[in-house]
Every structure is written in structure tokens, then in C-alpha cells.
Amino acid sequence: MITIQLTKLESALDQVRKTYTKLMPTDAALIATALTQTGHQAIAIYEEQQFVWPEDVEKLSEAMLPHIKITQEAIEANAPKRVSKSAPEEEPIAINVGLMPNINAGERVLAGRDDLKTFLSDVLSDGVEYSYNPNDLGWQWALERVNWSTVAGSDISRRIRIKTAFTQGAVGVEIGSNTPKKRASKKVEVEVIVAPVAPVAPTEDEE
């Protein structure tokens, strides 16, 4: 499995050259660019439907609306009628969207090179691990900027939190998400021993 860092094309190129040593330098650069695009422009999967970025942003947003509305209605039905000013901030509505590599986006980079298109398909079949920051993914960037009240045509009182992640055809690792947390230090009980203080003999003046 090859690791492609979407944040840095140079790193992706290094991985391609190390993994596929027989590729010509120019071809390696094309494959690295193509693989990067398959991740940047990944296909979104929601309720078994596929959506292409950026053409289907509005289509996916509308498909997610029923979930958002039902969740909001259920939350509001169970929420207390009176909320104190000191109450904690309301939990956002969380929605997960699956992703899969967009081989068509990669093939557009390889226009006129059918041999490299076949090679790209083989690389994806062998397995790809994308390493990225959230906004490296077109869908994550786009869905975070949707005005849900405008899409719904009514007020959406809760914040909407979208989480995109690779679920088919590839593995995705968000940079920084696997950083081990520091373990909380154990409290150590210290026994303090107070030694008795010997009385001080009075001075001549005090006598």
C-alpha cells in the first residue's frame, strides 16, 4: 500500500518513485499528481448514493436535509422549554459522509496516456492510504461552508458538523489525529513528617 500525502505533492512524488522504481521521472510525476487528485476530488457516498465534487454540492446538501430536520425536531422535542443563560452550548448535529477515490479525476491528469491510466487503476487496486488535513478534501471544505438555513428554506437552529472520511477503495489518515495523548500523571501522596523542635535556651537578656 502506498501512502499519498495530499498536503504535499513533493512527498507524494517521493512515495511513487520509491515504490515504483521503474517509472520514468516524468511518468512518476504524472502518477503522483493523478493519485493526489483522486483524493482531493474524492467521490462522496451518502445513503448509498455517489456525489461528485464540486458539481453535486447542492445535490448532496439537499439529500442531507431530511436527516438534519428530523434530528433537529427530535432534539427540540426533548429539550427543556426554559434554558438558563449559563447552560452549556447545544451539541451540533453531526453527519458522517463516506469517501472513495475519484479515478476519473486522476485519469483527467493522464489524458492521452492510456498506459498510465491502467497503471493508476492498478495502484488504486493495490491500495492507497491518503494522509491529509481536513480541508485537503474538496467535500470537507465545501460542506463546511453550506448555509443550511438557506438550503432548507427555514431556520436551522443547531450547528451542523460534517465529518468526511474514506470508507471505500482507500484508507484515510487525518494528519495529527493519531497523535498519542499524554497520560495524566498519577497523584502521588506524600507523607510529611514533622520533626519535633527542641526548645531554645533563653539568652541572658531574656533572663
Side-chain angles (χ1 to χ4, degrees), residues 74-132:
I75 292 173
E76 291 179 348
N78 296 313
K81 293 182 178 179
R82 294 183 179 181
V83 181
S84 63
K85 293 182 180 180
S86 60
E89 185 180 359
E90 295 176 331
E91 286 292 324
I93 297 174
I95 300 179
N96 295 320
V97 176
L99 299 174
M100 64 181 291
N102 186 345
I103 190 170
N104 290 332
E107 288 183 342
R108 284 194 290 269
V109 177
L110 307 174
R113 292 293 305 273
D114 291 342
D115 57 329
L116 290 184
K117 289 180 181 180
T118 301
F119 190 88
L120 174 65
S121 178
D122 292 341
V123 173
L124 290 171
S125 296
D126 291 340
V128 175
E129 178 186 86
Y130 295 107
S131 176
Y132 56 87

